[in-house]
């Protein structure tokens, strides 16, 4: 069976950035499963997996445009430190993340820099502008169930579980 629309793919992978740093991985003990064609994974990886078969191994390089987008300076903003009133000072540091309610719904905002009066916040995805490399091995491919197709994601081992 080949990877195609409405197949559930189970795979292992190691994800590295352009510096070779490991960002994420799924091994055979805890593989990753997704529903192909349902935008469950970044487009650049999904495109490269199309047509592959069980036991195929491949290394996929995904440019930012097909991953989490280019880094956008306009998504950074300097705000008065007083906006963080009530938050302990030790929680306000470069790299800290907060969940914020925005016009686009819930969003993770990262603190890029802090000085005495100003906090620079960054709404870019942490991997925006980063070229990603996935070292992938396909373990299994199966037809998705009607329920999985309706829900838009894989169920069962490595996939999403409903409780």
């Amino acid at each position: 069976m080949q990877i195609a629309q409405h197949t559930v793919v189970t795979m292992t992978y190691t994800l590295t950035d352009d510096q070779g740093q490991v960002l994420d991985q799924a091994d055979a003990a805890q593989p990753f499963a997704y529903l192909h064609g349902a935008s469950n994974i970044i487009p650049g990886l999904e495109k490269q997996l199309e047509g592959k078969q069980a036991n195929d191994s491949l290394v996929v390089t995904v440019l930012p445009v097909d991953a989490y987008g280019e880094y956008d300076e306009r998504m950074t903003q300097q705000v008065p430190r007083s906006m963080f009133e009530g938050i302990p000072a030790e929680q306000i540091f470069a790299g800290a993340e907060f969940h914020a309610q925005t016009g686009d719904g819930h969003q993770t905002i990262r603190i890029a820099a802090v000085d005495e009066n100003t906090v620079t916040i960054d709404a870019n995805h942490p991997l925006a502008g980063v070229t990603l490399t996935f070292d992938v091995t396909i373990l299994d491919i199966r037809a998705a169930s009607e329920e999985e197709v309706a829900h838009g994601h894989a169920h069962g081992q490595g996939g999403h579980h409903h409780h």
Side-chain angles (χ1 to χ4, degrees), residues 30-91:
Q30 297 226 300
F32 174 75
Y34 78 96
L35 175 62
H36 193 79
S39 301
N40 290 178
I41 61 174
I42 59 172
L45 179 58
E46 191 165 56
K47 229 181 298 175
Q48 294 295 314
L49 292 174
E50 184 88 26
K52 298 294 184 261
Q53 300 177 20
N55 300 318
D56 282 357
S57 290
L58 62 157
V59 175
V60 178
T61 299
V62 182
L63 298 174
V65 67
D66 290 323
Y68 295 100
E70 294 295 346
Y71 188 84
D72 185 349
E73 285 293 335
R74 294 169 305 184
M75 293 180 75
T76 62
Q77 188 182 349
Q78 290 194 325
V79 297
R81 194 172 175 137
S82 59
M83 277 186 73
F84 288 84
E85 225 172 275
I87 297 174
E90 64 271 10
Q91 290 181 19

Side-chain angles (χ1 to χ4, degrees), residues 90-121:
E90 64 271 10
Q91 290 181 19
I92 303 172
F93 58 89
E97 292 186 348
F98 290 87
H99 296 285
Q101 182 74 38
T102 65
D104 301 330
H106 289 287
Q107 196 170 5
T108 300
I109 307 287
R110 206 170 57 261
I111 295 179
V114 179
D115 67 27
E116 252 178 80
N117 305 311
T118 314
V119 175
T120 304
I121 57 174

